[in-house]
Amino acid sequence: MKTIVHKANERGHANHGWLNAYHSFSFANWYNPEKVQFGMLRVLNDDTIAAGMGFGTHPHDNMEIITIPLEGDLAHKDSMGNGTTIKSGDIQVMSAGTGIQHSEFNPNHNHHTKLFQIWLFPKYRNVEPRYQQITLDKSLEKNDFAQILSPNPDDAGVWIHQDAWFYLSDFDNGFSKKLNLKKEGNGFYVMNIEGEIEVNGEKLERRDAIGIWETNEIEIKANSNAKFLVMEIPMEQ
């Protein structure tokens, strides 16, 4: 088993006023040669968008893009004709494939929006772009691993063009549970959202993360009431 711990205070940080962003992996003007990606996980941004502000229309291609709002709302428009708003409790995915353009902004004028935006390299290049958005059943997260993403359109949650599985969890203090790999050779990347947890005995505080590979299971214990995101990700293409 191999592990790498990414402490919250070691992330890249850029505060543009309208956007306060923390980068788990090299992004924009922040580059760390030791934090370029974890397997096929290329970007994990922890963004706070000021009221009434957002990202203007910009392009993407050949990337699986996952957005998980944590607080507030995010209005989305894209070149596929989608115009929607995602809220805390939703999850959105875009397969950029051959190319898309989209914009994202906080439609509220009195409250910021917080979100994770995650990019994974796709299993297949130049697929037809697609969009999907669902509302999650938060009750499934209580003391369990609620699957929110997979490679299978018929499975729980949204789906993407990659052999990855994501889980959101809300553990009570003292609760512990194991999670097994879905696909041999994949690794786990755990981002602790709130509270304190231990992953295979490694303590993670708020916004700390850990990557674990060359093992078939992990055990997560809550040292307080805690919320976290688990990503099972291919380590190589």
Side-chain angles (χ1 to χ4, degrees):
M1 183 179 71
K2 295 182 179 178
T3 64
I4 185 167
V5 176
H6 290 160
K7 303 300 285 185
N9 62 4
E10 296 172 353
R11 296 179 296 174
H13 181 221
N15 192 341
H16 303 285
W18 67 273
L19 172 67
N20 189 17
Y22 290 88
H23 311 307
S24 294
F25 302 98
S26 296
F27 190 84
N29 293 326
W30 182 69
Y31 177 73
N32 182 333
E34 296 181 356
K35 292 184 179 179
V36 175
Q37 64 193 84
F38 177 80
M40 294 297 100
L41 173 60
R42 176 60 189 87
V43 167
L44 173 50
N45 287 346
D46 182 1
D47 292 344
T48 300
I49 303 172
M53 304 301 288
F55 300 91
T57 302
H58 58 281
H60 294 283
D61 66 81
N62 287 308
M63 196 66 71
E64 301 294 302
I65 301 170
I66 302 103
T67 302
I68 304 174
L70 302 174
E71 290 181 28
D73 306 331
L74 189 71
H76 165 97
K77 291 184 179 179
D78 64 44
S79 54
M80 295 178 279
N82 298 296
T84 63
T85 299
I86 56 174
K87 304 173 182 291
S88 176
D90 294 346
I91 181 172
Q92 174 204 76
V93 294
M94 290 189 299
S95 297
T98 53
I100 60 163
Q101 295 196 36
H102 77 135
S103 63
E104 302 161 293
F105 71 96
N106 178 358
N108 301 311
H109 296 287
N110 58 359
H111 194 275
H112 60 236
T113 294
K114 293 187 176 184
L115 60 93
F116 285 155
Q117 187 163 100
I118 301 163
W119 298 4
L120 267 66
F121 292 111
K123 187 174 182 179
Y124 310 106
R125 290 183 60 82
N126 297 322
V127 299
E128 181 180 353
R130 63 175 293 272
Y131 177 92
Q132 186 183 9
Q133 172 186 337
I134 65 169
T135 297
L136 302 169
D137 183 347
K138 303 293 284 184
S139 68
L140 299 177
E141 300 172 12
K142 197 62 175 176
N143 292 330
D144 206 351
F145 299 106
Q147 182 178 294
I148 63 168
L149 176 147
S150 80
N152 186 351
D154 299 323
D155 220 346
V158 293
W159 70 275
I160 62 171
H161 295 284
Q162 186 52 274
D163 293 327
W165 288 261
F166 285 14
Y167 307 88
L168 274 174
S169 298
D170 182 355
F171 277 16
D172 289 331
N173 182 20
F175 186 80
S176 178
K177 191 174 178 69
K178 292 181 179 180
L179 179 65
N180 293 312
L181 273 183
K182 292 281 192 178
K183 184 176 180 182
E184 186 176 357
N186 281 2
F188 292 105
Y189 194 84
V190 182
M191 165 60 77
N192 189 29
I193 300 173
E194 299 288 348
E196 182 183 295
I197 61 175
E198 290 182 23
V199 184
N200 287 6
E202 185 72 43
K203 186 182 295 184
L204 300 183
E205 297 180 343
R206 184 182 184 274
R207 295 308 204 265
D208 289 347
I210 187 171
I212 302 177
W213 66 109
E214 294 186 7
T215 185
N216 290 322
E217 71 172 19
I218 56 173
E219 182 172 10
I220 300 181
K221 177 188 176 184
N223 291 337
S224 69
N225 293 340
K227 297 181 180 181
F228 53 91
L229 172 66
V230 182
M231 295 170 274
E232 179 186 325
I233 297 163
M235 297 306 293
E236 52 189 42
Q237 198 65 282

